[in-house]
Amino acid sequence: MQTYQRDVTDYEALDAISLMIKLHDESRLTEADIPAEQLPAVPAALRQQPWPQNGLTVALPPALTQSYPLLRSVQTRQAIRDYDPTPIQQAELATILKVASDGDKQDWLQQQPDADENEAAIALHLLVVAWRVCDLAPAIYYYQAESHSLLHIGAAPISKQARNNLTLQAEFAEAPVIVLITGNLAAACTRYGGWGHRQLLLRAGAAGHRLWLASVGLGLAGTTFAGFLPRAAQSIAWVNNSTNASLFAYSVGYEPGSAGSTNFIN
């Protein structure tokens, strides 16, 4: 078993090959190998910078409390790539975002004994590309979990451009909503080494699965996928593979012909 050493590496100064070798070697560490008292603080320069914004914040409605039972959602979940043109409801979007955010907070952030974990901003970010949501202007938003609101951070790409340039599989760009999950890779690796990268990926996968299960429970459907194409991710979502690294994505909407047919079972 490796012995944990305080990491003082400047990750941004490493070439691609050296970085891959370092992350591979450090990925053999487990959480038990990383004593909490030795965790380095994350420099201010590597902490998440404020999102670009125009001052517009949209308060979301409360998350829905009625859905299909979890077991039914697990048994009936399936990936779809064709979507009904009907917009989804704001309450539905609010619910899946809150489920994913609260789950990550419960499973990860609340388990950390060190308050610097939150201060270091090693948290997941949920970016919403909203094209068809009732009473919500098409745009890119950042989900603010503390206030349960959406912060307007940019214009949504127009449909034709999105289909050609946003995702590898064009049909994902026809969904009413895409949720892009990002995280601060630079902060995570500075604090935990390669194990921090692995943990971010695990958390993003869990958040994506929660988005999916919550959607199925509400009568929606969708598909988890790797994320936006690199150039699109950088230009519309400020992904830089450092302090805002792309981790995962989820497209969601109604299955063709199913809009408005939900009949919840208590």
Side-chain angles (χ1 to χ4, degrees), residues 173-192:
E174 295 184 351
V177 168
I178 288 179
V179 181
L180 180 66
I181 304 173
T182 69
N184 192 331
L185 179 60
C189 287
T190 297
R191 192 158 174 78
Y192 297 110

Side-chain angles (χ1 to χ4, degrees), residues 72-228:
R72 179 193 182 279
S73 298
V74 172
Q75 292 173 333
T76 61
R77 60 183 172 171
Q78 62 177 341
I80 66 164
R81 296 175 176 83
D82 297 307
Y83 297 91
D84 195 276
T86 305
I88 69 172
Q89 299 294 318
Q90 272 198 44
E92 293 169 334
L93 175 61
T95 301
I96 67 173
L97 292 173
K98 183 172 176 56
V99 166
S101 179
D102 284 359
D104 181 67
K105 182 178 180 181
Q106 174 182 307
D107 289 350
W108 181 252
L109 295 181
Q110 288 184 347
Q111 305 302 319
Q112 302 308 302
D114 188 350
D116 190 60
E117 188 73 16
N118 288 322
E119 295 174 5
I122 307 177
L124 297 183
H125 309 302
L126 302 179
L127 304 180
V128 179
V129 183
W131 283 298
R132 300 193 305 279
V133 179
C134 290
D135 301 318
L136 183 66
I140 301 174
Y141 299 92
Y142 169 64
Y143 177 58
Q144 301 178 119
E146 296 78 8
S147 58
H148 190 53
S149 62
L150 296 176
L151 175 67
H152 184 288
I153 60 174
I158 62 175
S159 179
K160 185 176 181 180
Q161 290 178 341
R163 183 174 176 83
N164 294 333
N165 303 314
L166 188 61
T167 60
L168 185 61
Q169 293 175 262
E171 59 268 25
F172 292 151
E174 295 184 351
V177 168
I178 288 179
V179 181
L180 180 66
I181 304 173
T182 69
N184 192 331
L185 179 60
C189 287
T190 297
R191 192 158 174 78
Y192 297 110
W195 183 84
H197 181 211
R198 189 173 64 187
Q199 190 65 30
L200 268 185
L201 292 175
L202 177 65
R203 290 170 60 193
H209 196 221
R210 283 189 170 98
L211 290 168
W212 190 16
L213 282 179
S215 299
V216 175
L218 296 175
L220 300 169
T223 297
T224 59
F225 62 102
F228 294 164

Side-chain angles (χ1 to χ4, degrees), residues 7 22 31 45 65 73 148 170-171 186 193 199 252 263:
D7 192 343
K22 181 175 179 59
E31 185 176 10
T65 58
S73 298
H148 190 53
E171 59 268 25
Q199 190 65 30
V252 62
N263 182 21

